[in-house]
Amino acid sequence: MYKIINKKELNPTVMLMDIEAPFVAAKAQPGQFIILRVDEERGERIPLTISGYDREKGTVRIIFQIVGGTTKALSMKNEGEYISDFCGPLGEATKTENLKKVLIVGGGVGCAIALPVAQKFAALGADVTSVMANSGLAHMSVGSATGKDKADT
């Protein structure tokens, strides 16, 4: 069982959760994902991007959009409650070595993977620019991995 440490509603259909999973957090890399199962009764397993991790706290951050039964069930869980399975990290990590200039582009919930990737590139000394947009391109932001916006339109 894996404890929900933090839960935040980002908007009515998008949730952020920090899950206590020390073995996953210890090995997680930007670009990887997990597979979770909310509970044994609703046994569907779903993949979600690792959108952050804290090795010291042993937590893994996920951001997900409520689009079906499993993500709805997950969204109904509260801080202090548990989910049954949380397997990972899975997949190949984003290649980050030996790059000097990087452009990261993302949109909507797909931006969940962008932050840990941008942070890793910045930690390795790359010049990172990101372009993120929400639905309909009503708002677009261009910034650096340090969090300082270069433009906001």
Side-chain angles (χ1 to χ4, degrees), residues 4-11 13-19 51 60-65 77 79:
I4 299 169
I5 301 299
N6 177 44
K7 175 186 175 182
K8 183 176 181 182
E9 180 180 294
L10 300 180
N11 71 38
T13 62
V14 178
M15 305 295 293
L16 175 151
M17 288 184 174
D18 292 324
I19 309 296
S51 60
V60 176
R61 176 163 289 171
I62 55 174
I63 298 174
F64 60 95
Q65 187 169 18
K77 294 280 192 177
E79 289 179 9

Side-chain angles (χ1 to χ4, degrees), residues 60-94:
V60 176
R61 176 163 289 171
I62 55 174
I63 298 174
F64 60 95
Q65 187 169 18
I66 304 166
V67 293
T70 299
T71 50
K72 178 68 173 172
L74 182 58
S75 75
M76 301 302 286
K77 294 280 192 177
N78 293 309
E79 289 179 9
E81 294 184 320
Y82 293 83
I83 58 176
S84 292
D85 299 317
F86 197 84
C87 300
L90 302 167
E92 191 169 329
T94 301

Side-chain angles (χ1 to χ4, degrees), residues 1 8 18 28 33 56 70 80 104 108 110 128 139 142 151:
M1 301 290 279
K8 183 176 181 182
D18 292 324
F33 67 97
E56 289 181 20
T70 299
I104 296 176
V128 181
H139 181 84
V142 179

Side-chain angles (χ1 to χ4, degrees), residues 17-151:
M17 288 184 174
D18 292 324
I19 309 296
E20 188 175 61
F23 294 115
V24 178
K27 295 185 181 250
Q29 294 294 324
Q32 292 185 303
F33 67 97
I34 55 89
I35 292 181
L36 65 78
R37 184 169 59 158
V38 178
D39 58 49
E40 292 179 19
E41 295 169 14
R42 294 176 223 149
E44 181 182 32
R45 291 173 176 88
I46 61 167
L48 292 173
T49 297
I50 295 173
S51 60
Y53 48 87
D54 185 321
R55 295 192 205 292
E56 289 181 20
K57 293 180 182 176
T59 59
V60 176
R61 176 163 289 171
I62 55 174
I63 298 174
F64 60 95
Q65 187 169 18
I66 304 166
V67 293
T70 299
T71 50
K72 178 68 173 172
L74 182 58
S75 75
M76 301 302 286
K77 294 280 192 177
N78 293 309
E79 289 179 9
E81 294 184 320
Y82 293 83
I83 58 176
S84 292
D85 299 317
F86 197 84
C87 300
L90 302 167
E92 191 169 329
T94 301
K95 303 290 184 212
T96 55
E97 290 75 28
N98 303 317
L99 296 172
K100 301 203 184 312
K101 278 191 145 186
V102 179
L103 174 65
I104 296 176
V105 179
V109 180
C111 292
I113 196 170
L115 181 60
V117 171
Q119 289 171 327
K120 177 76 181 260
F121 277 122
L124 293 172
D127 178 18
V128 181
T129 300
S130 59
V131 178
M132 305 293 151
N134 68 7
S135 62
L137 296 176
H139 181 84
M140 182 168 36
S141 182
V142 179
S144 69
T146 62
K148 297 177 184 174
D149 283 345
K150 295 180 181 175

